[in-house]
């Protein structure tokens, strides 16, 4: 039998060789990546990696700033958006991509000082929209993130 391959080994090689590579995430309207719901850093990093164009760099900067500002922050992807929160308090922030900007949502934004500039139809939510040409005030963003992380968050 030396030099011969068993049928089982041949089937395994054939199956492995014909399996398609992992598909690129589907981009929804505005270029928002469709990422499966998941908890932890890995799904958030998959979301960030799938963001098209200049918005991916913004996603990386935001994620790094949140992680640095709020040590031990919990992460998840739900509803095709990364969420950031504190275990006992809930989610305090989300990120979502649109065609021309990245939206940062502070779930208790009306309690932040100064108020983030974007209004919402939801009573307590405030937004910050980041466009390609915008200068990001990381000191102000970090202050909002730190404040938001101390507030009661959303249960989702």
């Amino acid at each position: 039998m030396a030099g011969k391959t068993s049928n089982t080994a041949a089937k395994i090689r054939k199956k492995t060789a014909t399996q398609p590579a992992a598909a690129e995430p589907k981009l929804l309207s505005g270029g928002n990546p469709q990422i499966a719901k998941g908890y932890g850093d890995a799904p958030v990093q998959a979301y960030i990696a799938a963001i098209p164009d200049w918005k991916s760099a913004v996603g990386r900067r935001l994620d790094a700033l949140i992680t640095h500002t709020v040590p031990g922050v919990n992460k998840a992807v739900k509803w095709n958006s990364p969420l950031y929160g504190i275990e006992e308090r809930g989610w305090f922030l989300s990120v979502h991509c649109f065609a021309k900007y990245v939206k940062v949502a502070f779930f208790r934004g009306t309690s932040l000082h100064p108020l983030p500039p974007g209004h919402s139809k939801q009573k307590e939510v405030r937004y910050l929209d980041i466009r390609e040409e915008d200068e990001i005030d990381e000191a102000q963003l970090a202050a909002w993130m730190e404040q938001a992380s101390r507030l009661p968050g959303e249960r989702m």
Side-chain angles (χ1 to χ4, degrees):
M1 295 296 263
K4 292 194 175 184
T5 306
S6 71
N7 285 341
T8 304
K11 286 179 185 176
I12 291 171
R13 272 199 309 275
K14 183 176 182 182
K15 187 175 183 180
T16 303
T18 59
Q19 288 178 340
E24 291 291 318
K26 177 180 176 185
L27 294 180
L28 303 173
S29 64
N32 192 49
Q34 184 175 28
I35 300 293
K37 176 182 174 180
Y39 294 87
D41 189 53
V44 171
Q45 296 310 314
Y47 177 93
I48 292 168
I51 300 172
D53 307 320
W54 60 270
K55 294 175 277 189
S56 185
V58 170
R60 284 191 302 277
R61 283 179 72 186
L62 289 171
D63 182 70
L65 187 60
I66 295 164
T67 301
H68 176 77
T69 303
V70 185
V73 69
N74 292 328
K75 300 178 185 184
V77 171
K78 294 184 177 190
W79 304 287
N80 300 310
S81 295
L83 297 171
Y84 296 85
I86 302 296
E87 189 167 337
E88 298 300 318
R89 290 186 220 131
W91 305 110
F92 63 86
L93 179 150
S94 75
V95 176
H96 194 85
C97 288
F98 290 90
K100 297 186 187 281
Y101 59 94
V102 175
K103 181 177 288 293
V104 179
F106 294 96
F107 299 133
R108 300 279 185 251
T110 57
S111 297
L112 303 179
H113 298 286
L115 288 174
H119 297 277
S120 173
K121 293 177 186 176
Q122 297 170 332
K123 184 179 177 184
E124 294 185 69
V125 176
R126 295 291 289 206
Y127 298 117
L128 174 67
D129 295 342
I130 302 171
R131 290 174 169 70
E132 184 173 13
E133 66 279 355
D134 289 348
E135 291 289 327
I136 298 175
D137 183 347
E138 288 191 9
Q140 181 59 70
L141 253 174
W144 283 329
M145 291 169 181
E146 196 277 325
Q147 290 175 55
S149 73
R150 290 186 278 119
L151 298 169
E154 289 291 321
R155 305 280 179 203
M156 296 187 216

